[in-house]
Amino acid sequence: MAVTDPAVTAKLLTPAAVHNAYTLIKPYIHTTPLLTCKTLNAIASTPQSAESLRGTPFEGQAPAKPKFRLFFKCENFQRIGAFKARGAFHALLRLIEQKGEDEVRKRGVITHSSGNHAQALALAASTLHIPAYIVMPSISTPSKIEGTKSHGAKVVFSGSTSTEREAVVAEIQSQTGAILVPPYDDFNVICGQGTTGLELEGQYAQFVKENPGLSVHKDSPGNATLDAVITPIGGGGLNAGVATYFSDKSTRVFGAEPSFEGGDDCRRGLAAGSRVESVKTLTIADGLRTPVGLLNWEIISDKSKEAGVFSVTEEQIKAALRLVLERMKVVVEPSAVVGLAVCLFDEEFRRIVEKEGGDKGWDVGIVFSGGNTTVEAIGKFFSG
């Protein structure tokens, strides 16, 4: 389903649409694990130091004292190492339904991506025997480039901004007639990504039922619900999909972004009341370098669906990444940990949890969006 009038299309994004997507893609994706970590619960529930608050609006004030129980949805264990497989399979399966397998196979499909959607569409196309053209920034992580090529897709390089990527896509389409499968600003992609929230909710309920002590709601485990879910925001497909899924439930959905070089376009756009149209950032969270899509903006800017968006610094992302690597023993990419970094370091968010969670605190689902990095890249983050 193409984005024609985003406001109209957004109304069709419902929890039922996410359920329907899950039924269709389930044979093609992994049910990724949900993990907990007592150490990170304790660290997140410890007030920040006065030094940490220096230079912030909260300098000189008593630090927040929130209580967290964190539940990590590990999409780094998804096929191709990221949640993007969900949206890519759903979009391609719907495209075949709509246009017929012969036409889609004749024309092929095309997209642009820094790596995770690239690999996801390449995998989906290979699985369903469809030719794929993938436009990737030349500065993409080498492992993501090789991963995309390994599924048989034709990779064409471009500049790093979304504008540069889209220009190359248009050129290839004019030559081949390939059908665009957008990386994030697409109804079917969003529905596919929203299945992350569907799985997370079910796994959380089972966890708490079997071990009530994992939850702040241990006194009523049969009725326990997540207080919040926080996901990274780049183009916004994951966050919009998850917000869509939870839109008829009490669970609040938040977004997290890198602040480096204006990477927090969604947060800034919400503050200004209008979408930021372009982003130029070389944040280490390379999967989050794109502006929020038009359709995703319709969802995320709806206060009945999105509770808020926060941003974190490069150093805070690195600190969160180190904790996940060293304490959880889980390999993730920098983009994956921005939600955890918000829980650890954003004093505004932490005060919300302290105020509204009270003595009990909040159960928070954090989506680890992917794990496509390299030993060399991780080494550079922590060298010097």
Side-chain angles (χ1 to χ4, degrees), residues 92 95-96 100-109 121-122 124-133 151-152:
L92 193 49
L95 190 61
I96 290 170
E101 189 171 348
D102 289 344
E103 181 178 353
V104 177
R105 185 166 293 154
K106 177 183 176 182
R107 296 171 60 183
V109 293
L121 185 61
S126 174
T127 303
L128 300 170
H129 309 293
I130 305 295
Y133 305 88
H151 296 296

Side-chain angles (χ1 to χ4, degrees), residues 2 6 18 23 34 86 104 115 142 153 184 237 375 378:
V18 176
T23 300
L34 187 69
R86 298 172 182 271
V104 177
Y184 49 82
V375 172
I378 292 172

Side-chain angles (χ1 to χ4, degrees), residues 306-369:
E306 184 80 14
V309 176
F310 300 89
S311 63
V312 287
T313 67
E314 301 291 275
E315 290 306 312
Q316 290 168 342
I317 294 171
K318 290 178 186 178
L321 180 62
R322 180 187 289 274
L323 284 171
V324 175
L325 293 171
E326 295 182 351
R327 305 302 181 93
M328 292 186 70
K329 321 303 181 188
V330 171
V331 177
V332 291
E333 59 190 274
S335 299
V337 301
V338 288
L340 173 60
V342 166
C343 293
L344 294 170
F345 303 115
D346 191 284
E347 193 69 3
E348 183 180 354
F349 180 76
R350 290 170 62 82
R351 286 173 183 243
I352 292 172
V353 177
E354 178 188 30
K355 178 181 177 182
E356 302 193 18
D359 293 336
K360 287 178 25 176
W362 272 11
D363 284 351
V364 179
I366 295 177
V367 178
F368 283 163
S369 53

Side-chain angles (χ1 to χ4, degrees), residues 196-215:
T196 308
L198 185 156
E199 272 188 9
L200 168 58
E201 182 187 50
Q203 291 169 310
Y204 164 81
Q206 189 65 30
F207 263 40
V208 175
K209 180 181 178 181
E210 294 176 356
N211 190 345
L214 293 174
S215 169

